[in-house]
Amino acid sequence: MMNKKSLYKLEYNKIIEKLTEHAGSFGGQERCRKLKPKTEISEIERMQEETAAAFTRIIKKGRPSFGGCSPVSESMMRLEIGGTLGSGELLRICKVLETAGHVKNYGRHDNADDMQDILDGYFEQLVPVSILSTEIRRCIPAEDEISDDASPELKRIRRAMGQINDKVHATLSSMVNGSLRTYLQDPIITMRGDRYCIPVKAEYRGQVPGMIHDQSSTGSTLFIEPMAIVKLNNDIRELELEEQKEIEVILSTLSQQTAEQTDSIRADLNIMVQLDVIFARASLAMDMNATEPIFNDEGRIRLKQARHPLIDKKKAVPIDIRLGDDFDLLVITGPNTGGKTVSLKTVGLLTLMGQSGLHIPTLDRSELALFEEVYADIGDEQSIEQSLSTFSSHMTNVVSFLKKANRHSLVLFDELGAGTDPTEGAALAIAILSHLHEQGIRTMATTHYSELKVYALSTSGVENACCEFDVETLRPTYRLLIGVPGKSNAFAISSKLGLP
């Protein structure tokens, strides 16, 4: 596992947030949030190949939808101990299977000459038990609704209910509009609880035989269920109980049929969540205009026109960076403006992204090295609680890096040795960098100490770089020039500003 601190310093968590937004299912989002850089080159290359294959498929035929992959594991556990599911739960399982069907169709190659890719295996493993999903859909057209056709018995019960209901309405209508009209407050039929009633003026209570179910707040109106329909209302109640029983039988039967397929449903869900994550990686790559990096385990980084993925595409200045071929230590010098830190963060973050199976925002065929660990000391680390100065807290980081770093690590220092006396700081920085350089550990450091330029120029395997500065406009161009030590431009800037 990579150290959390460096992941945070390099803003890896922000990339993960962006990735998670591209996942369509709850399970896919969960897995995206847990994505961490891998350290096995075979695993990284497989993930990169998956991302590239999904990228190609999205370009050809859009993105498959994984929105129907609801988490159904609790329902599955209940089925396995013989429980019966409600209509909503069965419908969710049905949607999972239907989604598996759509995704499997999406995965088919339309033309015979379409190239096979690494994702075919996933699509082939999907088993969208359509006989089950069709049956659930036939019986449960929508949440909390069971179709009349779900069973012949349910159809019979509901038909009988309809007939009695019609009879009740006919009987009541003839009363309201005929013999009882004068005794009523209004010529209407109302429901009280689940019984049909009519509103009778209190003084005519004796004229209308039946059961009183309610009265108005003033007491002037009584809601009476006429005797003539009490029996019919009772028949409806009985049929409603029968209907409930029959619905339970239907749900129980569907639950048993579903229980026989729990393995397939679980497997489908798992595969679709994996695919969801892969397509989220590809979708993020499209957003970032990213490409597939080529990995090596020789510690060689060659980024062409790399952009920092969290800086606006229109504003990010692409940089070319290399490290680990003819030099293993790159010292970026120059004035404080000018994007030295961005260069450092770009290398660190793209390394983490690449090792997580994500494409990186560079030109095609950029190279990344496999690192087992990335150590980054970036940003102002003053810690109030520990009352450590900025210098002390940076040194604490540096000490912990030096203990652990080896040839399989990438070490990044921002303003190494800053925060103390310049002469001592520069000497300390050179000592630390020499120590790492002697072990052949890939290191990048930014500094504004000019002593380090001299160290870089005079030491083989160490290279200078600087962020280009435009003396005409007094603005940094943010381009990185490798092999050129940075000038602090103090005199050029001062004379430009009119200092005599």
Side-chain angles (χ1 to χ4, degrees):
M1 275 292 286
M2 295 250 177
N3 69 87
K4 283 200 173 71
K5 201 167 191 180
S6 294
L7 294 184
Y8 177 74
K9 284 276 167 209
L10 292 166
E11 299 177 289
Y12 176 78
N13 53 322
K14 292 186 182 170
I15 296 293
I16 291 301
E17 279 165 32
K18 281 182 182 289
L19 173 68
T20 306
E21 285 165 19
H22 287 278
S25 67
F26 176 78
Q29 289 164 356
E30 288 280 274
R31 271 198 213 178
C32 286
R33 280 192 199 97
K34 291 183 184 147
L35 181 63
K36 290 282 182 286
K38 307 287 184 247
T39 50
E40 278 291 317
I41 202 157
S42 56
E43 188 177 7
I44 293 168
E45 285 175 342
R46 181 186 52 95
M47 289 172 72
Q48 286 290 356
E49 192 185 336
E50 288 170 352
T51 307
F55 191 103
T56 307
R57 285 184 186 246
I58 293 176
I59 289 171
K60 276 192 181 163
K61 48 162 126 184
R63 248 195 98 169
S65 163
F66 297 96
C69 299
S70 309
V72 291
S73 54
E74 281 180 24
S75 304
M76 296 300 198
M77 277 146 67
R78 294 234 311 282
L79 285 175
E80 281 167 336
I81 55 169
T84 294
L85 302 184
S87 58
E89 291 177 285
L90 285 164
L91 214 47
R92 273 196 290 285
I93 290 173
C94 173
K95 283 202 184 107
V96 168
L97 291 173
E98 287 172 345
T99 306
H102 297 318
V103 172
K104 196 173 177 78
N105 279 338
Y106 170 92
R108 291 202 175 95
H109 294 295
D110 301 333
N111 314 327
D113 54 353
D114 263 359
M115 293 290 286
Q116 293 278 309
D117 67 24
I118 192 168
L119 301 182
D120 284 319
Y122 290 110
F123 291 115
E124 280 157 17
Q125 283 171 40
L126 286 172
V127 181
V129 198
S130 51
I131 193 160
L132 175 61
S133 59
T134 311
E135 180 60 9
I136 296 175
R137 189 61 77 184
R138 185 182 75 77
C139 297
I140 312 172
E143 187 123 11
D144 298 328
E145 182 191 335
I146 305 289
S147 159
D148 294 355
D149 295 323
S151 77
E153 180 61 3
L154 188 63
K155 195 168 204 165
R156 181 195 69 71
I157 294 168
R158 286 184 175 170
R159 188 178 286 143
M161 283 163 79
Q163 286 165 347
I164 297 175
N165 255 321
D166 292 346
K167 206 182 257 181
V168 170
H169 276 275
T171 310
L172 285 174
S173 294
S174 69
M175 285 180 178
V176 168
N177 299 316
S179 53
L180 304 181
R181 177 73 188 85
T182 45
Y183 309 139
L184 303 185
Q185 200 70 46
D186 293 295
I188 55 169
I189 303 166
T190 74
M191 294 294 281
R192 279 297 173 272
D194 49 6
R195 316 291 286 191
Y196 289 104
C197 298
I198 50 179
V200 178
K201 292 174 187 167
E203 60 266 32
Y204 297 121
R205 164 72 195 93
Q207 311 304 118
V208 183
M211 294 168 74
I212 300 175
H213 285 288
D214 197 3
Q215 62 176 6
S216 65
S217 51
T218 58
S220 60
T221 309
L222 301 172
F223 294 95
I224 294 177
E225 180 184 7
M227 224 55 213
I229 65 155
V230 170
K231 175 164 181 342
L232 295 174
N233 266 340
N234 287 343
D235 291 346
I236 290 176
R237 286 299 78 73
E238 272 178 31
L239 285 167
E240 279 173 357
L241 291 171
E242 279 184 48
E243 180 191 31
Q244 256 339 94
K245 267 198 197 132
E246 183 55 24
I247 286 174
E248 277 163 29
V249 170
I250 291 162
L251 294 177
S252 167
T253 309
L254 286 173
S255 297
Q256 282 165 356
Q257 292 168 350
T258 308
E260 289 163 18
Q261 303 293 345
T262 49
D263 290 349
S264 298
I265 296 163
R266 274 211 183 91
D268 283 349
L269 202 49
N270 185 30
I271 291 163
M272 287 194 288
V273 165
Q274 280 175 286
L275 283 168
D276 189 12
V277 173
I278 293 169
F279 277 91
R281 299 201 304 253
S283 186
L284 179 68
M286 297 195 89
D287 258 16
M288 289 184 175
N289 205 359
T291 65
E292 179 180 357
I294 299 167
F295 270 88
N296 65 77
D297 46 18
E298 290 133 38
R300 190 175 60 253
I301 297 176
R302 279 192 194 144
L303 300 176
K304 307 177 193 171
Q305 300 286 293
R307 302 184 310 280
H308 192 288
L310 297 171
I311 299 176
D312 180 4
K313 271 193 279 208
K314 299 180 188 70
K315 294 183 187 147
V317 178
I319 52 173
D320 291 330
I321 291 196
R322 54 194 178 80
L323 176 67
D325 38 17
D326 41 0
F327 54 91
D328 54 37
L329 171 57
L330 183 63
V331 180
I332 308 177
T333 51
N336 291 345
T337 53
K340 288 183 299 189
T341 308
V342 173
S343 305
L344 204 62
K345 281 182 156 183
T346 302
V347 173
L349 185 52
L350 298 197
T351 294
L352 297 176
M353 285 172 67
Q355 290 188 205
S356 303
L358 301 173
H359 284 4
I360 57 172
T362 58
L363 288 186
D364 214 14
R365 304 198 68 70
S366 287
E367 289 185 58
L368 281 176
L370 173 80
F371 292 109
E372 283 168 16
E373 193 59 87
V374 176
Y375 296 105
D377 180 49
I378 294 174
D380 188 8
E381 279 253 348
Q382 198 162 357
S383 159
I384 312 280
E385 309 88 83
Q386 300 168 333
S387 70
L388 287 173
S389 67
T390 306
F391 177 74
S392 312
S393 51
H394 280 301
M395 269 309 126
T396 311
N397 278 345
V398 171
V399 170
S400 74
F401 295 174
L402 294 181
K403 274 189 195 144
K404 300 180 205 149
N406 61 25
R407 288 190 69 99
H408 304 295
S409 312
L410 172 66
V411 182
L412 306 170
F413 293 119
D414 191 24
E415 292 300 345
L416 181 58
T420 186
D421 170 83
T423 321
E424 288 187 13
L428 201 58
I430 290 173
I432 291 165
L433 293 178
S434 299
H435 174 72
L436 290 164
H437 174 50
E438 277 158 24
Q439 297 174 69
I441 295 172
R442 305 291 183 254
T443 309
M444 270 177 79
T446 69
T447 176
H448 57 272
Y449 292 135
S450 47
E451 289 88 333
L452 283 161
K453 302 174 198 171
V454 181
Y455 163 71
L457 285 169
S458 57
T459 314
S460 71
V462 182
E463 190 57 271
N464 258 311
C466 68
C467 283
E468 189 179 53
F469 190 85
D470 186 340
V471 185
E472 289 307 308
T473 60
L474 297 190
R475 287 215 178 90
T477 66
Y478 298 113
R479 282 190 27 234
L480 190 72
L481 308 176
I482 290 185
V484 184
K487 294 202 291 287
S488 93
N489 299 307
F491 290 102
I493 291 171
S494 307
S495 74
K496 237 355 218 187
L497 295 173
L499 184 77

